[in-house]
Amino acid sequence: MPKAKATARGARRGKKANTLRFVIDATSPAQDGLLEPEMFEKFLHDRIKVDGKTGNLGGRVSIKRQQAKVIVTAKQPFSKRYLKYLTKKYLKRNNLRDWLRVISSDKESFELRYFNIEDDNSDDDGEE
């Protein structure tokens, strides 16, 4: 009986995926002409570090674009947080950080959304 438990544990370890796939959805800013997905894809290609070196993606990381979505496929270890960091860096460099934010829509994807800015005109009407 103890051998059955050992094989069950080993089977669970073997199910871990070796490749990770992340999607960055920039549909709404791209439709408004605020963000260019081609430039964002090039920025990621130039900035992602593999083994401490930029521009050395090799076979471990691939970046492709489908309309306004950028898809990053990487072998482990690769951090989703690192992609969020690079996305924020791109937004800051292009002065878009004041209008857009990076939100995790699910476990494997990010979405660029506008900040919700509410009008303060209702407060001014009450003070008359």
Side-chain angles (χ1 to χ4, degrees), residues 81-95:
R81 183 78 182 138
Y82 182 54
L83 273 182
K84 185 173 183 177
Y85 163 75
L86 288 174
T87 304
K88 286 181 173 183
K89 192 171 186 175
Y90 177 80
L91 293 176
K92 186 67 175 176
R93 287 215 170 164
N94 292 308
N95 297 323

Side-chain angles (χ1 to χ4, degrees), residues 107-121:
K107 191 175 180 181
E108 299 172 345
S109 66
F110 287 115
E111 185 176 348
L112 298 180
R113 289 189 193 167
Y114 291 103
F115 281 110
N116 292 331
I117 300 172
E118 310 235 351
D119 291 331
D120 292 332
N121 295 339

Side-chain angles (χ1 to χ4, degrees), residues 3-77:
K3 289 184 181 181
K5 287 183 182 179
T7 56
R9 275 191 225 139
R12 276 187 258 149
R13 286 186 203 147
K15 288 185 180 181
K16 205 170 200 181
N18 289 335
T19 58
L20 302 169
R21 183 176 178 266
F22 299 108
V23 178
I24 302 171
D25 185 10
T27 304
S28 59
Q31 287 176 347
D32 295 339
L34 206 65
L35 181 119
E36 296 177 15
E38 303 88 24
M39 297 302 292
F40 180 53
E41 179 187 14
K42 184 180 180 330
F43 177 84
L44 287 177
H45 190 276
D46 294 341
R47 300 290 172 160
I48 289 180
K49 287 186 177 182
V50 176
D51 295 330
K53 297 178 184 176
T54 58
N56 183 24
L57 300 181
R60 295 178 66 186
V61 178
S62 67
I63 303 169
K64 58 184 172 179
R65 181 177 41 89
Q66 292 179 351
Q67 296 171 352
K69 293 183 180 182
V70 178
I71 300 168
V72 178
T73 308
K75 292 184 181 176
Q76 286 186 348

